[in-house]
Structure formats: structure tokens, C-alpha cells
Amino acid sequence: MRWSEIPGDAKAYILYHTLISPGLIVWILFPLYLMETGYSVLEVGAFFTAVNILAIPLTYLFGRLFNRWDLKKGLITIDVLDGIAYVLYGLAKGAVAPVLLFAGRTVEKLSTMLYPLYRAYEQIIYPEGKYEEIFAWHLRLPEISRVLTFPIMGYILGYVYPGPESYRWAFVIFGLFSAFTVAYIWRFLPSIGRAERVTPEGFTFRAGEFKVFLAFEAILTLAWMLAPDMVLTNYIVFVLHKTIFEVTLVIVVSSLASIIGTYASERVPKEKGFRAISLSMFFNAFYALVMALAPPLWLVLVVCLIGDLGSSLGFPFYRSWMFRLIPKEKASEFHAAISSYRRVLGMFTPLVAGALAGVHATLPYAASLVFFVLAGSMFAVLSRKERNFWSPAPP
């Protein structure tokens, strides 16, 4: 699908994600900031776990409420909360630093409770039947944004103005940038109320297939959460003795791989979707295997390229499969329930990942390897059944 063929509202939404993509560097800077100000990787994992527990019941509650409320207002709330959280991070200095850090993380966690609204919004605003093609662009443009901005920010924060003080300024800048993104949402994104959420005629909820989906979600959640970004950051900065710049180089390589993968995914027939997802899992398994062996930086770059090439190959098909199983009028509730399900599964994974990394910096990747292999094997078995899960169930 060409960019010109995408509906205007969907374009505006993709461009919104392109605008906020550079701010995702905060997700790397925050754990690094904690570790550089005296927290161990185990303590960082414990810190994230403590806040995660607060989020589980509220995520589902918010999703259920937004079955009736305008999803656009939810997106605005996300950016407002993120902006407040980042400013609190930036102000965390001196004796009050622990209080402000925990307050900021709590506010940011309130924001993440609303993240399922992104998927609900996408399910409704993207044209049904074109999910795979749209998601190629949905992934591609934000990755291009990161490729263009992350090296610059990484070099500035790694070599020109390194250290926690510069990180605090970065937090404040990205916090204030949220005012612009809120204005963009208000001006350019359409409202999505109850009237816009009409499930197509002939849709039948497939309980059995949804249970299969939940089983895969459990495996993928554990695969990714047992080796979070803080593990990679800890390894590159404190084991390989590099800087945030080298961390951003890894992300740039991953983004380039993702961009290439989006073009590859467009050449995969829809009926081969499970095979593409299975292949992506084995790509990630190879990435986890090599990372578990504590590779040098150049090899980290290579395997990150391979892993993210696989991830982007399977992503449009996995997301499309998810959307085809969920009724639109309850999209926010379903996506919130799935998110809460992930949070329950990952409640203690930051603590486990921190503990494993405390034993050996790359040991969390060995745990991830097991689940990636399991996920790839399960998708491979399912793909051999050649189920046509892309078409709606008969009424």
C-alpha cells in the first residue's frame, strides 16, 4: 500500500506516533539515570516491580470505562500524564529525589494503564481488511524518526553533555514537548465515541481461537519482559563500558532493521501470516541466544538487526490477528483486559530480570530464549494446519 492510499485520519494518527517516537529515549534514560545515581540493576528491577503492582486492576477499569468515552480524550490524557512524569524525573535532585522519582514513575504508570487505548483507536481508525498494509506504515515512519533523532541525542548525552544532570534536562524538555503533542491530538485526530465503534455484520466471537491467542500472549510477554531494555542498557554501559550513545546506536540499527522488515512483510501473503510470525520468533530466539553469550558491541549490533528484522516481519500479522478476534464496540475493554493479563504475567519479571542480571549481565536473555523458541514452535505447528484465520467467521 502506498502512503497516498492511506485514509487521512489514519495518516494523521501515524504521524502522531512519528512525532512522539524521539521521546521514547526516556525509556532508556530513566533506568540508566537510576543506575548512574547509585541504584543497582536489581534495585531498578525491584523499583519497577513495585510500581507495576499498582497498575493491574486499574488498567482494566479504565478500558471498560472507555467503551463509552471518547478514545481521543484518552490519548490526550496519556500525553498529559507522560509530560508530568518526565518533568518530575527532571526535578528529582537532592534529598527529595527518591520521592519525586517514585511519584514520576507512578504518574507514568497511570499513563501506561491507558496504553490499550492506542490499540483500540487503531482497530477502529484503520480500515478493516487493510490492517497488515497499514501496520507496515505504522511501524515504518516512527522507526525512521528514531533513526534520524536517536544518534544525535545519544551523542549529545553520551559525549558532549554526559551524566545525570543532562539526563534531567532531557526529561524536562520531553515533558514540556507533551504540550505540543496534546495540541496535535486535539487538532488533527478524530474523536472515537460509541457511534464510531460498530462491529461489522457477520462477526462472531471465536472463544476457542481467542484462548489460543491468550496462550501466545503469555509466552511472548514472558519472552520480552524477562530481558527488558534496562538489561541491554546495563550490559552496554556497565559491562562493555560504553555510553548512552552506543545504546542509541543499537536502537538505530534495530530501527533500520524494522524499516526493512516492514517492506518484507508487505510481500508475505496474508494466508502465510502464522509462518511469518513463527519465523520472527526464531529470529528473536537467535538474538536472545547470542546476547546470552555476552557478545562484543559489534556483534550486539548485528544480532539486534537480525532480531528486529524478524519482529517487524511478524508484527503486522500478529496485530491483525488480534484485531480480527475483538468486537469493535468493546475494543477498549478487550485491549485493556489483554494489557492487564500481560501485567499479571509480568508483575515480577523486572525483579527477576534484575536478579538474573545481578548474577550475570546477559543471563536474562537465556530465559527469553526458552520462550522465543516455544512461541516459534507453536506458531510453526499452527501454520501447518493452514487455518484461514484472516477472514471473518461465518455468521
Side-chain angles (χ1 to χ4, degrees):
M1 174 181 281
R2 297 177 180 176
W3 176 252
S4 59
E5 297 172 340
I6 299 176
D9 289 344
K11 283 183 182 177
Y13 180 74
I14 293 172
L15 290 175
Y16 160 70
H17 280 281
T18 304
L19 286 171
I20 65 174
S21 188
L24 299 183
I25 196 172
V26 172
W27 294 0
I28 304 166
L29 283 178
F30 184 63
L32 179 59
Y33 172 77
L34 292 179
M35 287 184 277
E36 288 196 1
T37 52
Y39 295 86
S40 70
V41 65
L42 175 59
E43 290 170 328
V44 173
F47 178 82
F48 285 179
T49 295
V51 179
N52 283 348
I53 296 173
L54 301 175
I56 294 171
L58 290 178
T59 299
Y60 175 73
L61 175 62
F62 287 147
R64 189 177 179 88
L65 291 173
F66 272 96
N67 278 337
R68 301 186 299 272
W69 298 348
D70 182 3
L71 293 178
K72 176 178 174 177
K73 293 178 181 177
L75 303 188
I76 290 174
T77 303
I78 290 173
D79 279 20
V80 170
L81 291 174
D82 280 344
I84 294 171
Y86 297 165
V87 170
L88 288 173
Y89 293 159
L91 297 176
K93 188 177 182 180
V96 298
V99 175
L100 292 180
L101 287 173
F102 192 83
R105 187 62 179 174
T106 303
V107 172
E108 188 179 8
K109 187 56 65 173
L110 286 171
S111 168
T112 64
M113 293 177 199
L114 299 175
Y115 279 12
L117 301 183
Y118 284 133
R119 290 187 294 276
Y121 196 88
E122 291 156 12
Q123 182 176 348
I124 297 162
I125 200 172
Y126 291 165
E128 191 167 0
K130 297 291 184 180
Y131 284 144
E132 294 85 3
E133 296 91 335
I134 293 285
F135 273 112
W137 283 101
H138 174 94
L139 185 61
R140 184 179 300 150
L141 290 188
E143 294 292 1
I144 291 174
S145 176
R146 292 208 293 179
V147 167
L148 295 176
T149 58
F150 268 43
I152 297 172
M153 294 187 294
Y155 183 77
I156 292 173
L157 295 172
Y159 288 103
V160 180
Y161 298 108
E165 186 66 30
S166 297
Y167 300 164
R168 283 193 286 268
W169 277 107
F171 295 147
V172 171
I173 290 170
F174 283 115
L176 296 177
F177 184 71
S178 293
F180 173 78
T181 59
V182 165
Y184 179 92
I185 295 172
W186 185 264
R187 174 64 180 82
F188 295 106
L189 296 189
S191 296
I192 300 292
R194 297 185 69 176
E196 288 78 18
R197 304 181 223 188
V198 179
T199 299
E201 292 185 10
F203 175 88
T204 300
F205 178 66
R206 311 177 193 182
E209 191 169 348
F210 192 74
K211 291 177 182 178
V212 174
F213 168 78
L214 290 179
F216 287 135
E217 273 290 299
I219 296 169
L220 294 181
T221 296
L222 294 173
W224 287 115
M225 288 190 173
L226 284 171
D229 289 340
M230 71 172 186
V231 174
L232 179 64
T233 302
N234 177 67
Y235 177 65
I236 292 176
V237 175
F238 296 100
V239 178
L240 297 182
H241 304 292
K242 304 299 181 181
T243 71
I244 188 65
F245 175 64
E246 283 75 20
V247 177
T248 59
L249 285 184
V250 172
I251 295 171
V252 166
V253 168
S254 298
S255 295
L256 288 171
S258 295
I259 294 166
I260 296 170
T262 61
Y263 288 103
S265 70
E266 291 180 323
R267 288 168 169 75
V268 178
K270 291 183 180 181
E271 62 272 15
K272 304 293 185 182
F274 274 154
R275 297 185 185 182
I277 297 169
S278 176
L279 182 61
S280 74
M281 294 298 101
F282 286 119
F283 273 47
N284 282 311
F286 178 75
Y287 158 77
L289 172 62
V290 176
M291 287 301 300
L293 299 175
L297 181 62
W298 70 267
L299 190 51
V300 171
L301 294 170
V302 172
V303 295
C304 282
L305 188 149
I306 294 172
D308 280 270
L309 180 64
S311 294
S312 60
L313 178 66
F315 172 78
F317 299 100
Y318 192 78
R319 187 61 65 86
S320 177
W321 181 37
M322 175 194 294
F323 285 2
R324 283 173 167 81
L325 295 173
I326 297 173
K328 285 189 175 181
E329 71 270 11
K330 293 187 177 180
S332 61
E333 179 180 351
F334 266 76
H335 289 297
I338 293 170
S339 182
S340 292
Y341 173 65
R342 291 194 195 108
R343 292 181 191 279
V344 171
L345 291 168
M347 185 185 306
F348 296 104
T349 52
L351 181 59
V352 173
L356 291 174
V359 175
H360 188 279
T362 59
L363 188 57
Y365 292 104
S368 289
L369 170 63
V370 175
F371 289 100
F372 279 130
V373 170
L374 180 59
S377 301
M378 292 177 73
F379 273 113
V381 170
L382 192 56
S383 69
R384 285 200 293 269
K385 297 180 180 180
E386 298 182 354
R387 294 175 59 189
N388 186 20
F389 61 92
W390 303 113
S391 59

